[in-house]
Amino acid sequence: MPSGLPSTSPGTLPSTIVILGTGGTIAGAAASTSDNVGYTAAQRPVVDLLAALPQLAGQAIEAEQVAQLDSKDMDAATWQRLARAVARQLARPEVAGVVVTHGTDTLEETAWLLQRVLAPARPVVLVAAMRPATSIAADGPQNLLDAVAVARTPGARGVVAVLAGRVHAAAELRKVHPYRTDAFDSGDAGLLGVVEEGVLRRFRDWPAGEPLGLGVLDRAPADWPWVEIVVSHAAARGDAVRALVAAGVHGLVVAATGNGTVHRELDAALRAAEHSGVTVWRCTRCAQGALVGPNRGPAASMSPWQARLELTLSRLASRGGG
Ligand code: SIN
């Protein structure tokens, strides 16, 4: 049973949207309004981002600062805090949905974590920006308005991300550009929808699935399994894999070439790693598509970082070593 759908008294519809702040460029600040790259992320509190939007005045909106970081520094402890805060808010009958302000750099990892752990029956909408809040053409305010509109959409559920008027489901969300405001893509699956003048036009189903449950994150961050990513490429070597195994790594994701092939030197080291008890998963280093045929496995359609997270969660869920 998906989590996050508390019972409401007959006749009362949940109407509160809770905005959880975690930092990112959407809360970033630069010395000049024309500087879109030389800024510091995670400077403005989430209440300030909301105060800049008179369009939201009069709406039932609450804010909570869960973290204040550049998402490149996302870690297990912050994920625990965020997942618990989302679950706590969704358990309130008056809450229609949760919006999470976040950096773009690891947005897809947090989206996947929340979807896999909570598979919420109400919307959890991640929102970010590519330009700091101080920019003369900041994209954050419109993105935040769009995210609230998606969170208020009747029937909305699951974890999605909203940027540049485009709505992506957690599983397919990929950051594909380091600079432009429309920096995300949903690959072959396509967008979940678009937001036009505050209205969602939806193309496919909301994310669904069985949640692993919040308890899967209970282990102390220092005891989370250690899972690394290695990449197959021309002239690849096995030394890094052997060093990781010697250092005690628990799992490895190999970002393989094309349809799952791995350089023979790296392949030999990975086979030895598996033989010594390290879990090895394979995905493609291609930006789109999924592994087809004999190389298909649990990470066939995942990006390397999504697969790394999935393997971590799977070891946490099975209470495996590490
Ligand atoms: C971050 O990911 O926190 C910084 C970069 C961004 O939000 O675009």
Side-chain angles (χ1 to χ4, degrees), residues 37-311:
V37 291
Y39 61 87
T40 307
Q43 299 301 299
R44 298 263 165 98
V46 65
V47 286
D48 285 13
L49 306 184
L50 289 171
L53 288 172
Q55 297 85 343
L56 296 178
Q59 293 193 28
I61 293 191
E62 297 174 12
E64 179 184 340
Q65 194 77 46
V66 173
Q68 187 67 303
L69 49 67
D70 186 320
S71 80
K72 72 179 175 54
D73 297 323
M74 184 53 70
D75 55 25
T78 309
W79 271 343
Q80 282 177 331
R81 211 157 57 242
L82 177 61
R84 287 170 187 155
V86 170
R88 173 169 37 82
Q89 295 296 351
L90 290 177
R92 296 171 55 203
E94 67 273 30
V95 171
V98 169
V99 170
V100 179
T101 61
H102 196 287
T104 62
D105 284 343
T106 57
L107 190 71
E108 61 207 79
E109 293 170 63
T110 297
W112 187 239
L113 176 110
L114 293 175
Q115 177 62 33
R116 289 293 283 126
V117 171
L118 301 174
R122 292 187 186 192
V124 175
V125 183
L126 273 61
V127 64
M130 292 297 286
R131 294 177 180 159
T134 47
S135 171
I136 194 168
D139 50 334
Q142 184 64 54
N143 289 349
L144 189 46
L145 280 179
D146 289 347
V148 171
V150 172
R152 284 206 185 285
T153 302
R157 55 179 295 143
V159 180
V160 299
V162 177
L163 278 101
R166 290 149 54 101
V167 186
H168 308 265
E172 288 84 26
L173 179 68
R174 306 281 186 270
K175 186 171 182 181
V176 296
H177 202 282
Y179 180 71
R180 71 178 191 220
T181 51
D182 187 7
F184 285 81
D185 195 64
S186 286
D188 294 343
L191 295 174
L192 185 138
V194 291
V195 186
E196 296 161 333
E197 300 296 316
V199 177
L200 173 67
R201 184 156 58 95
R202 189 159 59 85
F203 307 139
R204 59 190 183 91
D205 279 350
W206 296 102
E210 277 301 310
L212 292 169
L214 204 50
V216 80
L217 302 182
D218 276 353
R219 218 189 287 185
D223 297 331
W224 279 33
W226 178 22
V227 181
E228 289 287 345
I229 299 166
V230 295
V231 183
S232 189
H233 52 82
R237 295 163 46 152
D239 306 64
V241 167
R242 284 186 284 276
L244 285 166
V245 173
V249 78
H250 301 113
L252 290 168
V253 169
V254 56
T257 38
N259 192 30
T261 52
V262 176
H263 189 287
R264 60 175 176 265
E265 296 287 329
L266 185 59
D267 195 46
L270 288 169
R271 284 177 198 279
E274 260 184 314
H275 196 66
S276 68
V278 175
T279 308
V280 178
W281 281 10
R282 198 182 287 238
C283 62
T284 180
R285 69 178 208 178
C286 293
Q288 294 194 9
L291 299 180
V292 177
N295 285 333
R296 278 193 70 81
S301 61
M302 295 183 185
S303 68
W305 19 100
Q306 187 181 25
R308 195 205 72 81
L309 176 57
E310 181 70 18
L311 178 48

